[in-house]
Amino acid sequence: MAMVVRANRLEEGIGGHISTFASAAALYEVAFNHFLRGRNESHEGDIVYFQGHASPGIYARAYLEGRLTIESLQNFRRDLQQEGGLTSYPHPWLMPNFWQFPTVSMGLSPIMAIYQARFNRYLEDRGLKKPSDAKVWTFLGDGETDEPETLGAITLASRENLDNLIFVVNCNLQRLDGPVRGNGKIIQELESIFRGAGWNVIKVIWGSNWDPLLSKDKDGILVKRMTEALDGDYQKYSVASGEYIRNHFFGTDPRLQDMVKNLSDTELQKLRRGGHDPEKIYPAYKAAVENIGSPTVILAKTIKGYGLGEAGEGRNITHQQKKLNEEELKLFKKRFDIPISDEDISRAPFYKPPDDSQEIKYLKERRHELGGYLPKREVICDPIKAPPEKLFEEFYKGSGKREVATTMAIVRMLAKLLKDKNIGKLIVPIVPDEARTFGMEALFRQVGIYSHVGQLYEPVDAETLLYYKEAIDGQILEEGITEAGSMSSFIAAGTAYATHGINTIPFFIYYSMFGFQRIGDLIWAAGDMRCKGFMVGGTAGRTTLAGEGLQHQDGHSHLLAYPIPNLKAYDPAFAYEIAVIIQEGIRRMYVEQEDLFYYITVMNETYKQPPMPQGVKEGILKGMYKFRDSQNKEAKLHAQLFGSGTILNEVLKAQEVLGDKYGVAADVWSVTSYKELYRDGLEKERWNMLHPSEIKRVPYITECVKDAPGVFVAASDYVMVLPDSISQWLPRPLVSLGTDGFGRSASRKALRDFFEVDWRYIILAVLASLTWEKKIEPEIVEKAILDLDINPSKANPMIS
Ligand SMILES: Cc1ncc(C[n+]2csc(CCOP(=O)(O)OP(=O)(O)O)c2C)c(N)n1
Ligand SMILES: [Mg+2]
């Protein structure tokens, strides 16, 4: 509390939360002192997701344990102070030795925890980790259960018998604005949901001082009254006088009134909620850890802002309360019996009992007994041995006469990686019910689909070569139709290097449209967590995925990939480009142990995959390289064409026609990543700005095209802002073609005409640019429009 109050005195409006932890303190303390096991040589430790807004309490405890300095506490919410600070919420990116899991985007921690618990089993079933009784604990708010992600995956946990999973829902009956269910009862509601889903439900509702009353309740009238009273009523009782409680709660029945006639008003007011009573919490936790065969949820009733009194206890404003005045501070210290003098209290000092005090000794002893301190993030993981160059060679050679889609290429690469003797077992293919779409069904048989119980039935296609094979040691995580669940598995696998010291390499292959725009927040969390692995967006490209129409055709996932700082995003055209990217990705993430992850789009259009030209590997990784010079050496007119993904083929066709028919020598560049080019440009520009007297650094893209003659045209299957983002570093203006607008159900050819990204529009853009540069007359463009059969009055796809 003092940490938040002081932070806000130092910096008005810096924020923070007091009331969340105030309501959950006993829930955490009992766990810390008796249940949560630390990671050490003899035990892998429990995995704990702390409720994000409770972080001040977790910091305070770490300070008492001697793990955080007083300076860092003083700098709560001020990460940028010179001597360091404590970040507002759990962020492994900012405190990589402390926090493991970002939890503050509410709803993400419960779903991540479920898939984490399942992934722990997966590692055990596949022999990658020793079986263990370690638990995954998740502390969450009752308001948080309204997030679809919180409850959306709970049946997975029961179906998979995840008795290594425990949810603790702090039911303080309030969220930010007011009651969670004023007119209802959140605990009863959650109980029925979890029980229906097959969970072990433990309710911690009433404190010990209700026990004598309950034992007198022979005919159940007290329980009936408890069940009738609404959450809105209970919230009122938490701030009301004993007299009000007597009249209102017990006043509905003379027999109830009789039950409490010997209790004073003060005693009535002090009737505790179970979540504030360690003697009730302990047995609940004990029952949870001893439960076999199903996950457990503990629904603990508490009071939000417990102990804040007039300053916020049980009030609707309590969530936002960050300032206490002198009077309120005095009452707080009195209530919790904190030995600070009345003179000192106005400063809101930190109180730490001496190291040899009973309290500190006890706290440290308990942690020692339980295996060490929590939370702690510690990477103890050896680098892997990189897969051999040989594995990728086939892709460098091209596909000869065979027409192959990049999707087929990446699936083949995955199949080969799975066979590699060093890293094969570490690969974790993850699919949300889309394996057949991507031609991955051969992998079903090759490595099997993971199932904790194996395959208890005879599969309908058992006779076929590629039957649906489920196995206890199956390697594929076939998640069903849940991108959020699949991403949670990706996160568990991609952070196993830190959580378990195991270098699992996830490949999450999904419909690219249902990635960033559907589960962007989980991807953000993955970045925060320093997650590794490959996200593979299949059926990508707004005009390449024919027929599917508006909802499926992705033309913007690469734009949505821009903001994630440690994500590399590539839109490759050819199999060899993918091979280079994956080889380098494995090297950087798992050999060099860099905290990066990758997004690669692959498409389902088939074409001959060319062999890799000499010396292009570096360019592929940096974002662009010259793929083909113009064959027309005589031409007076020039152009530089940028193409990405399958649209590169349109660019190559345009190059040919421009040379043959229009006398334009056009060079073609394969742009594998606008994001890489953009970040490189920003980096160089920033350096130049900060070092005005030194020799200017040149962006890679500028370097590439510095001597390239002619006009610039870029075409991709994505929104035009991608090429536009790098145009500032070109020597002359750029015309971008792309797929802004809603998709359509149509053929590839029709779509590329509609979005104006086919070879004809590329030619048009080149010719138009040449007129603007006064290199040719507008009549030539007029004629080309006719020759190329382009309709100038067609609707603009961007707005139609
Ligand atoms: C996805 C998301 N939406 C909104 C918020 C803002 N927010 C922070 S705490 C909070 C209320 C939390 O209520 P509850 O889950 O009941 O937790 P309590 O503080 O009561 O323990 C809200 C709306 C957030 N952090 N994440
Ligand atoms: Mg709440």
Side-chain angles (χ1 to χ4, degrees):
M1 181 274 288
M3 223 168 82
V4 177
V5 169
R6 279 166 64 164
N8 283 277
R9 283 183 186 173
L10 280 165
E11 292 257 2
E12 173 77 28
I14 201 84
H17 300 83
I18 301 172
S19 64
T20 297
F21 183 76
S23 68
L27 294 172
Y28 280 114
E29 280 307 294
V30 174
F32 273 123
N33 286 329
H34 303 282
F35 292 95
L36 307 179
R37 287 160 302 177
R39 180 180 172 195
N40 59 28
E41 299 76 42
S42 54
H43 195 276
E44 65 175 65
D46 293 328
I47 290 173
V48 188
Y49 293 76
F50 294 95
Q51 192 186 0
H53 312 87
S55 60
I58 311 302
Y59 289 139
R61 182 174 229 276
Y63 168 62
L64 295 187
E65 292 166 343
R67 302 170 63 210
L68 293 177
T69 62
I70 194 155
E71 288 77 25
S72 61
L73 243 62
Q74 262 150 0
N75 289 335
F76 172 59
R77 284 194 165 232
R78 294 190 303 159
D79 304 350
L80 300 178
Q81 288 298 103
Q82 220 164 27
E83 58 282 14
L86 298 177
T87 185
S88 50
Y89 301 116
H91 294 302
W93 186 259
L94 302 173
M95 291 175 65
N97 302 320
F98 194 84
W99 294 117
Q100 287 181 293
F101 308 106
T103 51
V104 79
S105 180
M106 293 190 303
L108 301 193
S109 97
I111 192 168
M112 288 194 292
I114 290 172
Y115 283 86
Q116 178 72 60
R118 206 272 303 253
F119 189 70
N120 294 356
R121 285 280 161 78
Y122 168 92
L123 290 175
E124 289 170 9
D125 285 341
R126 290 197 47 230
L128 290 170
K129 166 172 112 53
K130 278 201 250 89
S132 148
D133 66 350
K135 305 284 179 196
V136 176
W137 290 76
T138 312
F139 291 85
L140 58 145
D142 48 357
E144 184 170 5
T145 62
D146 282 333
E147 288 287 358
E149 290 90 343
T150 305
L151 299 178
I154 59 171
T155 55
L156 174 91
S158 41
R159 207 158 54 240
E160 301 265 335
N161 308 120
L162 297 179
D163 52 19
N164 58 342
L165 178 67
I166 299 166
F167 275 17
V168 180
V169 188
N170 175 17
C171 298
N172 56 26
L173 313 187
Q174 287 178 244
R175 41 178 154 80
L176 193 154
D177 285 342
V180 178
R181 295 284 185 274
N183 291 317
K185 294 170 81 70
I186 187 65
I187 294 178
Q188 300 307 101
E189 184 181 324
L190 290 174
E191 177 184 20
S192 56
I193 293 169
F194 278 97
R195 217 181 272 290
W199 284 52
N200 173 38
V201 180
I202 300 173
K203 297 195 284 184
V204 188
I205 302 185
W206 310 109
S208 308
N209 46 8
W210 285 87
D211 287 345
L213 296 177
L214 284 162
S215 68
K216 278 195 243 169
D217 185 33
K218 298 288 181 244
D219 38 14
I221 45 163
L222 177 57
V223 170
K224 181 168 170 286
R225 178 68 189 118
M226 285 168 158
T227 315
E228 272 166 14
L230 300 171
D231 283 0
D233 296 324
Y234 283 114
Q235 190 189 348
K236 176 80 177 167
Y237 301 143
S238 71
V239 303
S241 66
E243 191 194 354
Y244 181 91
I245 296 168
R246 188 185 305 278
N247 295 336
H248 198 272
F249 181 78
F250 294 100
T252 53
D253 187 316
R255 290 171 296 175
L256 280 175
Q257 269 178 325
D258 197 45
M259 229 182 237
V260 291
K261 68 172 187 290
N262 295 330
L263 294 182
S264 69
D265 283 354
T266 318
E267 281 169 322
L268 282 186
Q269 213 180 9
K270 284 192 169 163
L271 282 172
R272 254 201 295 192
R273 310 288 191 263
H276 296 301
D277 185 345
E279 289 181 32
K280 294 288 179 188
I281 299 167
Y282 182 92
Y285 286 175
K286 186 161 185 292
V289 298
E290 288 172 359
N291 179 57
I292 292 172
S294 57
T296 294
V297 60
I298 291 165
L299 304 170
K301 187 164 184 157
T302 63
I303 292 170
K304 191 148 176 166
Y306 189 63
L308 289 182
E310 294 288 317
E313 182 164 310
R315 322 270 151 164
N316 280 336
I317 49 89
T318 192
H319 188 86
Q320 305 290 68
Q321 179 62 285
K322 3 200 151 281
K323 293 178 183 171
L324 267 65
N325 62 31
E326 191 164 339
E327 211 37 51
E328 290 162 344
L329 286 167
K330 266 189 201 152
L331 287 170
F332 187 91
K333 81 155 175 128
K334 189 158 162 248
R335 170 139 182 198
F336 292 107
D337 203 11
I338 304 166
I340 295 173
S341 71
D342 277 356
E343 295 80 69
D344 284 346
I345 194 67
S346 61
R347 290 191 295 111
F350 298 143
Y351 172 65
K352 185 178 181 184
D355 281 348
D356 60 356
S357 65
Q358 256 186 339
E359 291 87 344
I360 296 291
K361 282 205 307 222
Y362 175 75
L363 184 138
K364 288 187 173 173
E365 254 168 45
R366 293 308 307 151
R367 285 318 314 160
H368 181 71
E369 185 82 9
L370 286 159
Y373 294 117
L374 282 167
K376 184 173 73 176
R377 184 178 180 278
E378 195 178 20
V379 180
I380 312 169
C381 198
D382 292 330
I384 64 161
K385 197 166 166 298
E389 179 79 14
K390 207 167 76 248
L391 194 145
F392 300 97
E393 266 163 15
E394 132 184 19
F395 306 99
Y396 299 155
K397 286 193 189 119
S399 64
K401 291 211 169 63
R402 239 163 33 96
E403 299 212 329
V404 175
T406 47
T407 308
M408 293 150 84
I410 206 165
V411 170
R412 176 148 176 82
M413 228 172 285
L414 188 57
K416 291 185 87 169
L417 283 165
L418 282 160
K419 284 186 188 145
D420 182 77
K421 67 177 189 312
N422 285 316
I423 68 161
K425 61 182 184 304
L426 297 173
I427 306 284
V428 183
I430 303 166
V431 273
D433 196 30
E434 214 71 63
R436 290 181 203 280
T437 314
F438 306 127
M440 287 172 67
E441 57 270 44
L443 296 183
F444 288 169
R445 180 64 196 276
Q446 185 186 325
V447 293
I449 294 163
Y450 171 69
S451 156
H452 183 57
V453 294
Q455 192 152 39
L456 306 175
Y457 60 98
E458 188 188 343
V460 64
D461 51 2
E463 311 298 310
T464 64
L465 191 64
L466 304 178
Y467 76 93
Y468 196 84
K469 178 184 163 195
E470 299 194 57
I472 296 178
D473 62 352
Q475 201 160 345
I476 299 172
L477 289 173
E478 162 64 89
E479 301 294 17
I481 311 163
T482 167
E483 283 74 16
S486 305
M487 190 64 202
S488 301
S489 280
F490 180 85
I491 290 172
T495 53
Y497 74 96
T499 323
H500 297 294
I502 302 170
N503 277 309
T504 36
I505 308 173
F507 279 78
F508 169 26
I509 300 152
Y510 59 94
Y511 232 114
S512 79
M513 191 65 161
F514 303 122
F516 286 81
Q517 75 170 15
R518 175 116 193 182
I519 50 158
D521 208 15
L522 278 163
I523 301 172
W524 184 255
D528 188 349
M529 282 169 87
R530 301 163 181 265
C531 179
K532 301 178 184 184
F534 297 96
M535 297 174 61
V536 181
T539 55
R542 189 160 279 151
T543 70
T544 305
L545 177 61
E548 286 289 329
L550 184 153
Q551 181 60 72
H552 289 67
Q553 289 160 345
D554 165 36
H556 52 275
S557 64
H558 275 290
L559 177 61
L560 302 179
Y562 262 47
I564 295 154
N566 47 352
L567 176 78
K568 306 231 158 233
Y570 288 96
D571 179 18
F574 300 129
Y576 67 79
E577 294 177 349
I578 300 179
V580 169
I581 294 160
I582 289 189
Q583 194 180 7
E584 174 73 351
I586 293 175
R587 189 189 69 78
R588 289 187 67 172
M589 294 186 288
Y590 293 96
V591 181
E592 300 302 324
Q593 300 191 309
E594 290 184 59
D595 294 341
L596 298 172
F597 63 133
Y598 283 72
Y599 176 52
I600 303 172
T601 40
V602 291
M603 291 170 270
N604 61 3
E605 182 174 358
T606 57
Y607 42 89
K608 291 188 192 91
Q609 297 291 335
M612 179 161 73
Q614 285 290 318
V616 299
K617 278 191 181 177
E618 194 193 339
I620 293 172
L621 298 169
K622 285 184 156 179
M624 75 185 285
Y625 63 94
K626 172 94 70 73
F627 178 72
R628 186 177 291 166
D629 279 317
S630 164
Q631 302 304 306
N632 186 342
K633 304 291 174 203
E634 267 83 65
K636 300 247 167 15
L637 300 166
H638 294 277
Q640 303 300 319
L641 308 182
F642 299 165
S644 311
T646 50
I647 299 299
L648 186 62
N649 293 315
E650 299 288 340
V651 175
L652 288 167
K653 170 127 197 232
Q655 176 192 41
E656 234 178 87
V657 181
L658 279 166
D660 294 348
K661 283 216 174 129
Y662 295 94
V664 181
D667 300 329
V668 171
W669 301 77
S670 174
V671 177
T672 50
S673 175
Y674 281 108
K675 183 176 178 187
E676 282 298 297
L677 296 174
Y678 178 65
R679 289 171 66 93
D680 169 76
L682 290 182
E683 162 71 24
K684 304 284 164 56
E685 200 166 79
R686 173 177 180 276
W687 194 91
N688 292 340
M689 208 159 66
L690 293 168
H691 304 85
S693 312
E694 297 191 40
I695 298 169
K696 268 193 167 180
R697 294 189 175 169
V698 182
Y700 172 68
I701 183 165
T702 312
E703 193 70 54
C704 283
V705 301
K706 66 173 187 296
D707 302 319
V711 295
F712 288 95
V713 171
S716 84
D717 228 356
Y718 288 84
V719 287
M720 294 174 226
V721 68
L722 293 182
D724 288 345
S725 73
I726 52 88
S727 64
Q728 53 191 311
W729 298 298
L730 296 176
R732 291 175 297 283
L734 170 76
V735 175
S736 299
L737 303 177
T739 58
D740 292 66
F742 282 127
R744 292 291 192 283
S745 309
S747 68
R748 249 172 225 142
K749 188 162 179 287
L751 284 167
R752 287 177 186 168
D753 174 49
F754 176 76
F755 280 108
E756 304 165 9
V757 291
D758 65 16
W759 60 276
R760 299 170 309 145
Y761 284 93
I762 296 166
I763 292 173
L764 174 62
V766 168
L767 298 178
S769 303
L770 286 167
T771 12
W772 300 330
E773 298 272 310
K774 308 251 182 301
K775 297 277 197 296
I776 59 173
E777 296 303 318
E779 290 71 34
I780 299 177
V781 191
E782 294 282 2
K783 181 161 184 317
I785 288 175
L786 282 176
D787 291 349
L788 296 168
D789 196 20
I790 288 172
N791 171 11
S793 49
K794 87 186 251 302
N796 184 350
M798 190 168 70
I799 51 167
S800 62

